[in-house]
Amino acid sequence: MAGKKQLNTKPWCPFCGMDVGRPVEALQRKMTEFPVGRCECGAVYACDATGHNIGSAIVECLVYACGEEWDLAWELLPEDDYLTGRVEDYDDVTHQICPKRNLDGRGVRGVLYFVRLHKDVAEIADRFAKKKEHEAQTALAESEKGPAGFVIPEVEPARDPKRQKKRSSKMIVKKLVEANDIEGLLDLCFDDKRALRFMQRLLYEPEPNKRYKTAWLIGQVSARLSTREPAPVADMLHRLFESCSDSASMPWGMVEAIGAIVAARPDIYGAFARHLLNFMGDEGTQEAALWGLSEVAATRPDLIRKTPFYSTFHFLEDENPVVRGLMARLLGRVKAKEALFQIMSLQKDETEITLYEQGDPVKTTVAALVKEAVAGIQG
C-alpha cells in the first residue's frame, strides 16, 4: 500500500527464512577481514558494512563455506556447486534491515552475502575441516615433545582497569626495543595501540641486524597481545602488506615482521602465510620471505604445505647463497621428499652465510643447512 511505513526488521537467511545472528570476526585472521556467520540451515554469510567491497566479501564467504580451503573454493562453480543470496540495507551497528537506508541520520548501505554449498560439496568441505582439525591437534601434540611444535600462548593476565595508562611515543618505543624489553612493550601496547605503529616505523632500517631483531620482537609482542586483542595485530598485518605494496618505498623489515607475527601465532594469522610467496619474485624481499616461511614451517609445516611452495624449488640454484640456504631449510622443515635430490646436490656448498635466530645473527654454511634439511626429510 502506498505511503505504508516500512519497519526495520531482523536480518534473515534467504534460503530458509530464519533469523540469523550478528556476523562476528572469524578466529583465523586473513587478508580480507569481513565478519561472518552461519545459519542453522547450513548457509554461511559475510557482511560488507559499506556495500562497496561486495566482490571481496563474496570470495571470503565462499572460502569460509569451504572451511578455509582456498583450492577447493576456486574449483567450485555457482549453481553447479553452490547457491548464493544477498540481503541488502543491513545495518551492522544495530543488526537490522533498514529499508529506508537511513537510521537516525546515518546512511545504511550494508550487505549480507550468503552461500550455501550443495550437499555433496558440503560433505567434501566437512572432510577438509575434520582433516584440518586433526592436523591442528597433531601439531599441538607434537609441540609437547620439543621446540619444533606450536604451543598456543596462555592468555595474558587482565591489566588493572584503574591503573594509570601509559602513553607511547617514538622515543619510548625505540628505547624499549633497543633494550629487548618485551614486557614493557606489551604493557605499552595494551595501554596505547599506537605503540604498534611506532614499532612498525622502527622496521625501516637498512641495517639487517636491527631489522630482524625488531621484527622478532614485534612477533613476540603480537603473540601475547593477540591472546586478548587479536584485532590490532591483524590491523598491523594489513598495514605491513600495504607498505610492501607501495612501489615508492623500500619494504625494509616489513616482510620480516609479517613472517615473525604469523610464525608466533599461526593458529590465528596462518592464512597470511600464503601471501609471503608473493614476495619471492623480488630480489629485495626474497631472503625475508624465505626466512618468514621457514619460521612458520618450524612449528606449522602444514600451513606451508597448503601453499604452492613447490613453485620455489628453483631457488635451490639461486646465485644468492642465503637464498639457497634458506630454501634448503624451508624444504627440510616441510619434509619435502619430492625435492630431496635437488637439496642433496648442495651438500658440498660450503659458502658461509648469516641467518637470524630469535632476531640474532648466526653464522652457518649452505652445506650445514642442507645436512639439517636432509636429516629432517629422512628422519
Side-chain angles (χ1 to χ4, degrees), residues 161-290:
K162 297 181 180 180
R163 77 191 186 287
Q164 184 176 358
K165 293 187 177 181
K166 303 174 183 177
R167 290 180 60 83
S168 65
S169 70
K170 183 177 179 179
M171 288 305 299
I172 292 175
V173 171
K174 184 177 181 180
K175 288 181 179 179
L176 291 172
V177 168
E178 290 176 346
N180 296 329
D181 189 349
I182 294 177
E183 296 295 335
L185 288 166
L186 183 61
D187 286 338
L188 197 59
C189 287
F190 274 119
D191 289 346
D192 188 351
K193 298 302 179 292
R194 292 182 305 164
L196 290 173
R197 288 185 177 271
F198 290 132
M199 291 179 73
Q200 179 179 339
R201 291 178 188 176
L202 293 176
L203 289 167
Y204 194 72
E205 168 62 57
E207 173 56 47
N209 289 0
K210 293 181 179 179
R211 285 205 311 269
Y212 275 94
K213 173 58 76 174
T214 301
W216 182 77
L217 286 171
I218 287 175
Q220 297 305 297
V221 172
S222 298
R224 294 173 59 180
L225 178 64
S226 62
T227 62
R228 282 194 172 274
E229 300 182 22
V233 179
D235 291 340
M236 185 178 191
L237 279 168
H238 285 286
R239 292 197 304 272
L240 290 169
F241 275 106
E242 289 173 3
S243 298
C244 291
S245 301
D246 185 358
S247 58
S249 63
M250 284 291 292
W252 278 335
M254 307 299 172
V255 179
E256 294 92 322
I258 293 170
I261 293 171
V262 176
R265 285 308 302 268
D267 57 318
I268 300 179
Y269 308 111
F272 286 93
R274 67 187 293 115
H275 300 289
L276 285 171
L277 289 173
N278 296 335
F279 303 109
M280 291 300 297
D282 187 339
E283 291 184 4
T285 54
Q286 284 172 355
E287 290 183 21
L290 278 173

Side-chain angles (χ1 to χ4, degrees), residues 14-15 37-38 41-46 57-66 76 81-86 113-118:
F15 297 111
R38 187 179 297 273
C41 72
V44 302
Y45 49 97
I58 291 171
V59 172
E60 181 141 337
C61 188
L62 183 57
V63 173
Y64 179 59
C66 293
L76 302 184
D81 299 310
Y82 62 91
L83 300 176
T84 62
R86 57 191 292 169
Y113 188 86
F114 288 75
V115 167
R116 188 168 72 175
L117 302 178
H118 291 331

Side-chain angles (χ1 to χ4, degrees), residues 3-110:
K4 184 177 179 179
K5 184 178 180 180
Q6 293 179 302
L7 299 177
N8 297 341
T9 60
K10 292 183 178 180
W12 63 91
C13 174
F15 297 111
C16 68
M18 294 184 63
D19 291 345
V20 295
R22 181 188 294 273
V24 297
E25 292 180 340
L27 175 61
Q28 189 180 60
R29 311 309 288 263
K30 299 179 286 297
M31 278 289 286
T32 51
E33 301 264 338
F34 294 94
V36 293
R38 187 179 297 273
C39 178
E40 293 182 14
C41 72
V44 302
Y45 49 97
C47 169
D48 173 18
T50 66
H52 297 310
N53 302 306
I54 191 64
S56 298
I58 291 171
V59 172
E60 181 141 337
C61 188
L62 183 57
V63 173
Y64 179 59
C66 293
E68 307 302 337
E69 288 293 333
W70 287 79
D71 292 337
L72 174 61
W74 294 139
E75 292 180 1
L76 302 184
L77 298 174
E79 305 299 332
D80 291 345
D81 299 310
Y82 62 91
L83 300 176
T84 62
R86 57 191 292 169
V87 174
E88 300 184 344
D89 307 330
Y90 172 69
D91 178 44
D92 64 317
V93 178
T94 60
H95 186 54
Q96 59 181 334
I97 304 300
C98 304
K100 291 186 176 182
R101 310 192 77 184
N102 187 285
L103 186 63
D104 300 328
R106 174 171 51 81
V108 175
R109 300 291 186 272

